[in-house]
Amino acid sequence: QVQLVESGGGSVQAGGSLRLSCAASGDTSSVSCMGWFRQGTGQERERVASISTGSGNTYYSDSAKGRFTISQDNAKNTVYLQMNSLKAEDTAIYLCAARLATDRGCGGNPDRYRYWGQGTQVTVSS
């Protein structure tokens, strides 16, 4: 089992920045990929960014490229999402997710992620 706890959400004006954190605990050695997803009201869950925990390779959605940065601190079992130049359309609940090493890859299909945090709300006002 892996437990994920997000923090760092809040309200910000357009153009501002936020940094989200996701602290993992439990059997973290079984995790090979960590992802940040978001889900707006009435919208499908979409992958924002993900990181391969072993290689450090990162992957971004088109909407996140150039504005968001995913990073990890393996010593703290924590993954971060630095979000800059925020837009109103970034408003959503942001969720952290973990994918197991037994499920190869680090793609954007949420069904391939085994564990999920409770989410943190990000609201961007224009």
Side-chain angles (χ1 to χ4, degrees):
Q1 293 284 331
V2 176
Q3 295 77 42
L4 303 173
V5 179
E6 302 99 332
S7 61
S11 297
V12 65
Q13 290 192 333
S17 298
L18 284 173
R19 189 177 83 153
L20 306 182
S21 300
C22 173
S25 60
D27 188 17
T28 56
S29 64
S30 66
V31 174
S32 63
C33 173
M34 294 289 293
W36 281 102
F37 289 75
R38 68 185 182 187
Q39 188 164 17
T41 303
Q43 297 180 347
E44 293 186 353
R45 190 169 295 187
E46 65 167 344
R47 191 266 307 262
V48 175
S50 54
I51 184 167
S52 174
T53 57
S55 66
N57 290 339
T58 57
Y59 309 88
Y60 296 93
S61 66
D62 288 342
S63 62
K65 286 178 184 176
R67 299 190 300 127
F68 295 1
T69 303
I70 189 170
S71 61
Q72 61 182 354
D73 184 334
N74 289 334
K76 296 182 179 179
N77 286 326
T78 300
V79 174
Y80 304 96
L81 184 68
Q82 177 67 44
M83 304 187 293
N84 299 328
S85 302
L86 283 162
K87 306 174 182 179
E89 50 263 44
D90 294 319
T91 295
I93 294 175
Y94 284 70
L95 305 106
C96 176
R99 187 162 170 169
L100 301 182
T102 52
D103 190 341
R104 295 183 179 181
C106 204
N109 185 348
D111 294 337
R112 305 296 289 272
Y113 289 76
R114 177 73 65 86
Y115 299 104
W116 292 83
Q118 80 288 352
T120 185
Q121 178 70 44
V122 171
T123 302
V124 184
S125 57
S126 56

